[in-house]
Amino acid sequence: MSNLNILFLSLIVLSSILFSSIILSSCKGDYSVNITGFADSQLKNTTSLNGFIKKKISGLYKVRTGKKMFGDTVVVKWSGTTMSVFARRNEAYMVLKGGSLDSSLVFEGYWRFAQSDRSGNIRLHIAYMEGAKELLQELPPGKVILSGFANEDGTSRSSISLEYIKPLKVNDGFYIVAHRGGGRNSDLLPYSENSLEIIQYAEILGANAIEIDIRLTKDKEPILYHDDNFNTRLIKGEYMVGPVENYYLYQVKNFCTLKKGEIIPTLSEALEVVIKKTNIKFVWLDIKSVEAARISIPVMNNYMKMANQRGRDLVILVGMPTREIFDFIVSGSEYETALKLCELSIDDVRKSNSKVWAPRWTLGYLTNQVEAMQSEGRKTVVWTLDEPGFIRKFINESKFDGILTNYPTLVAYEYYIKDQ
Amino acid sequence: MNITLKINKIYKYLLLFILIPKFRFGNACSAGQTPMNRFPRRMFSCNEKQWLTRHNKYFLLLILIISNPLYLLCLDKDSDYTLSTEIFAGWSYKLNSELAGEPSYSRSGLPVGLRIMWEPDNLLRVGIESAYLKLSSFEKQGIETKYGTTNAKASLNAVPILLIFSMNKWNFDISTGLGVYYLYATFDAKLINSVQQSGEWDMGFLLSIGYTYPFDGPFSVGANLKYYSISERQEYLISPQISLKYNVFTW
């Protein structure tokens, strides 16, 4: 065999290995943020905090120590039993539980950089003379200082000190809409996207509204699922192959789970959780087909009634992302009373009498059109805004009533810091 | 110029084009066409070459691979060429599973398949392979459905269609295959009263080592160990197999 042939053959082998490697390396593993918590947790012996303390702790804080991680200011906000801290720098946030221990208050949890996988544990205290004394006596504190440390990978340790500046402004109806129920799987959140668990976590991430994706099973049950097909990005379940609409609900419930092990919820289950277990004010159903719209709207209307009966400040809206779905909903007189969210033009919003107009963020501020919609009593929500710089600009310079985002912690920070 | 020389020439140019970036992009840019400094210079050059450079390097490499046997054919006109078919069967074991340990779960199967190879008189062989692979099965009992309580049996199967590159020396063979798998699941639930199927095409590859023992005449038998990877779905299978090979014709 000639040298040339040997060269070619070597090339063939190398090329084949190269191709195989390309494909093999394209297999993404399951990344996650591993938050272990403190082995010597101080929360075990604490007493839970009352509403007065939570209210007084919520507010805008100056970062005295820890600016490298969290910047100059942070927003501290309570959701139920969880204290969230939102920052601009590093797109950082903290999620903590708290309690009173002897004469001080202790908080433990984790910190994350929202757009990376960096995370760690954090422990903060309010010492007796730094606000705990008054807070425990339910008196207005002269000062509140949260101090402690954050670690990363259980090793490096950074001091943190936050000093209370002022209370948070009251949300004037601005919607911080969490994408896919709270956030995407790719952002390494503790729960899967479009799960009941992430819906209940959305408020901890700073959202007061959610967007969820609706598809139909083979037996016409609306479920929460984003993609056309079952795939390893969203589920675990080796027998779930191909389009979602090929599968019955019993198969969806019994032969797969979402990536973090949750059961794929139906629309009814999701709305029940929203009403009974959250304070979410706005639910956007991102409908994926005409048939899904036909089936989902009556379900949605039933849960709107339930919310009204319970006195919940909640709107559930059917999204109209495409002309096809728009035409179907507009042509059906039975859908007139449904609350609608239109992603098309403002003329289409008027034609469908949609309560909300939701343009794509890349179209810009659209100030004239937004004002026109608002003057007609409609809300405007822009989607899907994830870039920190643009989030800041849209909050400070545009007139939208809400932002759909994968990073509600960022939107929450920018919203609460605005004009402060 | 006859066809052999033409192919020869085209092949050499292709090789040069792929192997020597300087030759392709070195100083060919005209004034005013600014490279993007963030990337290697050879990634951004003349407009007319950006399309090829950015999107087709793998495609060109594929052309090179596919055209190589043709080139060898042209170079080595006195050689023998054989078209062979090979049927194989064996046992397979799925390497990864979330359900491992479940009593009604099985991840072994009996694959059968067919490989057709074009074998020039040198190390390299090229062909295609397909097979039926049963990846796993699982039965779940007492499932509550809106139709009542039922049992359901699920199985996962795949049919690969792979372009095979193989090297053979002293009857030992190593192969790699690239292509697609039709992956499909079947469900049988008595209450639903139908066997239901759903599938999709996924990218994947195959690695194989084997030994072939030739008999006198066109037949030979062999043993192979194959590793199937349905990369897109992260399903992996290992399979020892025996094969019967038949040389259909030689010229």
Side-chain angles (χ1 to χ4, degrees), chain A residues 1 4-5 7-9 11-13 15-20 22-24 26-30 218-221 229-232 235-243 246-248 250-251 253-255, chain B residues 11 15 58 61 64-65 68 71-72 75 94 97-99 105 122-124 136-138 140 143 145-147 152 154-156 167 176 178 183 185 187 189 192 196 198-200 205 231-235:
Chain A
M1 182 178 290
L4 192 59
N5 280 6
L7 171 69
F8 285 143
L9 287 168
L11 190 63
I12 299 301
V13 173
S15 305
S16 303
I17 291 167
L18 173 70
F19 272 115
S20 303
I22 289 166
I23 292 174
L24 191 62
S26 72
C27 302
K28 181 182 173 295
D30 290 336
K218 192 179 177 81
D219 45 350
K220 308 296 182 194
E221 285 285 344
N229 283 16
F230 286 115
N231 56 53
T232 54
I235 63 151
K236 291 189 283 191
E238 61 191 68
Y239 301 106
M240 310 305 275
V241 182
N246 285 356
Y247 286 87
Y248 290 97
Y250 88 87
Q251 292 163 334
K253 293 284 189 187
N254 286 280
F255 285 90
Chain B
Y11 192 75
L15 188 64
Y58 298 123
L61 209 53
L64 180 76
I65 291 167
N68 179 56
Y71 175 57
L72 295 177
L75 282 179
K94 186 169 177 287
S97 176
E98 299 282 341
L99 294 167
Y105 179 71
N122 57 55
L123 291 177
L124 181 75
S136 69
S137 64
F138 177 56
K140 192 161 186 176
I143 298 171
T145 75
K146 61 183 176 185
Y147 312 105
S155 65
L156 184 66
M167 285 180 71
T176 176
L178 294 167
L183 186 68
F187 282 86
I192 310 298
Q196 171 209 348
S198 180
E200 66 183 17
F205 69 94
S231 312
E232 210 170 330
R233 285 285 301 203
Q234 297 169 23
E235 302 285 4

Side-chain angles (χ1 to χ4, degrees), chain B:
Chain B
M1 188 184 291
N2 64 33
I3 185 70
T4 303
L5 292 175
K6 277 184 184 172
I7 291 170
N8 189 345
K9 192 171 180 182
I10 290 167
Y11 192 75
K12 280 180 179 171
Y13 276 118
L14 270 173
L15 188 64
L16 285 172
F17 193 81
I18 290 162
L19 292 181
I20 311 174
K22 292 273 183 192
F23 173 81
R24 284 186 287 161
F25 310 115
N27 298 312
C29 291
S30 59
Q33 291 174 323
T34 310
M36 292 177 68
N37 294 329
R38 285 195 302 138
F39 296 94
R41 186 171 175 224
R42 61 189 172 88
M43 295 290 287
F44 296 91
S45 187
C46 308
N47 289 338
E48 68 271 17
K49 287 180 179 171
Q50 283 187 0
W51 182 81
L52 283 172
T53 316
R54 285 183 185 171
H55 305 296
N56 286 276
K57 54 186 174 182
Y58 298 123
F59 179 64
L60 287 169
L61 209 53
L62 192 63
I63 291 173
L64 180 76
I65 291 167
I66 293 168
S67 60
N68 179 56
L70 200 58
Y71 175 57
L72 295 177
L73 172 66
C74 302
L75 282 179
D76 209 359
K77 286 179 287 188
D78 297 330
S79 299
D80 287 337
Y81 307 102
T82 301
L83 185 72
S84 71
T85 61
E86 180 182 323
I87 55 171
F88 56 84
W91 177 80
S92 66
Y93 184 78
K94 186 169 177 287
L95 293 174
N96 60 317
S97 176
E98 299 282 341
L99 294 167
E102 291 279 344
S104 60
Y105 179 71
S106 164
R107 51 172 154 173
S108 60
L110 301 173
V112 292
L114 174 72
R115 178 184 279 200
I116 299 171
M117 297 295 288
W118 176 71
E119 300 177 1
D121 189 18
N122 57 55
L123 291 177
L124 181 75
R125 297 164 180 192
V126 178
I128 57 169
E129 176 176 323
S130 188
Y132 164 76
L133 308 171
K134 183 184 173 189
L135 277 72
S136 69
S137 64
F138 177 56
E139 183 165 8
K140 192 161 186 176
Q141 299 183 331
I143 298 171
E144 298 292 334
T145 75
K146 61 183 176 185
Y147 312 105
T149 305
T150 189
N151 300 341
K153 185 171 185 181
S155 65
L156 184 66
N157 313 281
V159 176
I161 299 174
L162 302 167
L163 183 63
I164 302 291
F165 302 100
S166 170
M167 285 180 71
N168 188 290
K169 190 76 176 172
W170 304 306
N171 295 331
F172 285 98
D173 173 281
I174 59 168
S175 303
T176 176
L178 294 167
V180 291
Y181 289 74
Y182 183 70
L183 186 68
Y184 65 98
T186 57
F187 282 86
D188 187 1
K190 289 186 172 53
L191 203 67
I192 310 298
N193 203 25
S194 68
V195 177
Q196 171 209 348
Q197 185 172 308
S198 180
E200 66 183 17
W201 291 96
D202 294 302
M203 291 289 292
F205 69 94
L206 160 76
L207 298 174
S208 162
I209 54 171
Y211 178 79
T212 305
Y213 179 78
F215 294 113
D216 286 340
F219 287 99
S220 50
V221 293
N224 299 295
L225 183 65
K226 292 183 180 174
Y227 172 75
Y228 295 95
S229 170
I230 310 171
S231 312
E232 210 170 330
R233 285 285 301 203
Q234 297 169 23
E235 302 285 4
Y236 313 108
L237 208 66
I238 193 154
S239 174
Q241 296 171 353
I242 54 169
S243 61
L244 176 65
K245 187 175 165 186
Y246 175 68
N247 293 335
V248 180
F249 63 92
T250 300
W251 71 97

Side-chain angles (χ1 to χ4, degrees), chain A residues 2 173 272 297 315:
Chain A
S2 71
E272 190 145 335
I297 290 173
V315 288

Side-chain angles (χ1 to χ4, degrees), chain A residues 329-384:
Chain A
I329 291 176
V330 168
S331 64
S333 57
E334 65 270 37
Y335 306 129
E336 267 178 23
T337 56
L339 299 178
K340 295 179 274 289
L341 177 150
C342 181
E343 296 181 32
L344 308 177
S345 70
I346 58 171
D347 291 335
D348 293 319
V349 172
R350 290 175 178 132
K351 187 179 172 187
S352 58
N353 194 24
S354 293
K355 191 173 176 64
V356 177
W357 180 45
R360 184 190 294 264
W361 77 271
T362 49
L363 297 173
Y365 297 157
L366 300 168
T367 303
N368 292 339
Q369 295 179 62
V370 167
E371 286 177 343
M373 291 285 97
Q374 288 167 340
S375 70
E376 295 168 16
R378 306 180 208 278
K379 296 281 188 179
T380 56
V381 175
V382 65
W383 59 271
T384 300

